[in-house]
Amino acid sequence: WEFCTDPALYHTLVSRGVEGKQVWALVSLELHASYLELPLRKHAMAACLRNQTVVVAETYLNPAAHIPVHIDDWLQRDQVYGPLETSEAFEPFVLGARAVLPLYDERFRGYGWDKTTHANHLRALGFQYHMLPEHFVIARYHQPTPTAVRVFGQSEGGADQLLRMRMEWLYNRFLAQLYDHPASLPMLS
């Protein structure tokens, strides 16, 4: 299934992305019933949300990461809408015009803070988040990666505190560079 089958919509999205500094946040979901097929259309996905075989991604780890998409509101929409009210914690998957998007900062690899830093960079550059009414990303739930377990732990006190402090320090350094000296950000992909 093609992500954007309407050529007019595609060209509109690209021009609004380049000229209007817009990106489109995608509803991010997890399928928790491994025996079911991934829903490919919004109506099938909505049914899975109702019976709780699909959930908004990672709300158990970081609820603020996807709250601004307001899933119940999105389910009712049939037109592009926005801009969204966002916070520093908002870290959606996005569609955007690649030619004008900042690159990901490779200092954040393994697990954690990569999408958060990218989202903050987009906001600092003046991008606004909008929503597409039919588009979403979905993945099957999987066990946390070894790096995620090191950063967040699997139980109270199980995290690698030194790694966690290092990542938080690096994130704070990124924010300081972003807002105080943006030219000092590494040019990485």
Side-chain angles (χ1 to χ4, degrees):
W1 186 67
E2 295 294 325
F3 198 78
C4 189
T5 58
D6 178 356
L9 175 61
Y10 171 79
H11 292 294
T12 298
L13 295 178
V14 170
S15 68
R16 286 173 66 183
V18 172
E19 297 160 14
K21 286 199 164 188
Q22 293 181 8
V23 291
W24 292 269
L26 298 171
V27 171
S28 181
L29 305 161
E30 291 177 355
L31 178 68
H32 280 247
S34 60
Y35 57 90
L36 293 177
E37 290 185 28
L38 292 173
L40 299 178
R41 299 276 190 251
K42 186 176 180 177
H43 68 277
M45 186 272 304
C48 292
L49 279 166
R50 283 191 298 277
N51 69 27
Q52 298 181 342
T53 55
V54 165
V55 299
V56 175
E58 298 188 349
T59 51
Y60 45 87
L61 283 177
N62 181 8
H66 299 286
I67 284 176
V69 302
H70 300 287
I71 188 79
D72 293 328
D73 185 38
W74 176 79
L75 288 167
Q76 305 303 314
R77 300 290 187 128
D78 61 1
Q79 298 291 319
V80 174
Y81 65 98
L84 301 178
E85 293 292 324
T86 66
S87 71
E88 187 180 296
F90 185 46
E91 54 171 42
F93 289 100
V94 297
L95 284 177
R98 196 176 338 172
V100 296
L101 295 179
L103 300 174
Y104 270 82
D105 188 326
E106 291 179 349
R107 294 176 296 177
F108 299 91
R109 60 184 180 272
Y111 187 88
W113 292 277
D114 54 336
K115 288 189 327 212
T116 305
T117 55
H118 192 249
N120 277 291
H121 200 167
L122 287 168
R123 278 189 292 280
L125 292 173
F127 281 87
Q128 292 184 321
Y129 290 89
H130 293 258
M131 295 295 295
L132 298 170
E134 298 291 326
H135 297 75
F136 59 92
V137 293
I138 187 166
R140 292 189 189 281
Y141 174 79
H142 56 81
Q143 292 298 316
T145 65
T147 306
V149 171
R150 281 187 63 207
V151 172
F152 296 105
Q154 286 188 320
S155 60
E156 190 66 35
D160 179 335
Q161 294 302 316
L162 186 59
L163 176 61
R164 175 98 184 179
M165 289 184 339
R166 180 189 168 280
M167 294 301 293
E168 288 173 358
W169 174 87
L170 187 56
Y171 176 67
N172 289 327
R173 179 175 166 80
F174 167 84
L175 290 176
Q177 288 176 298
L178 178 63
Y179 293 109
D180 298 338
H181 306 288
S184 70
L185 283 173
M187 292 303 296
L188 305 171
S189 60

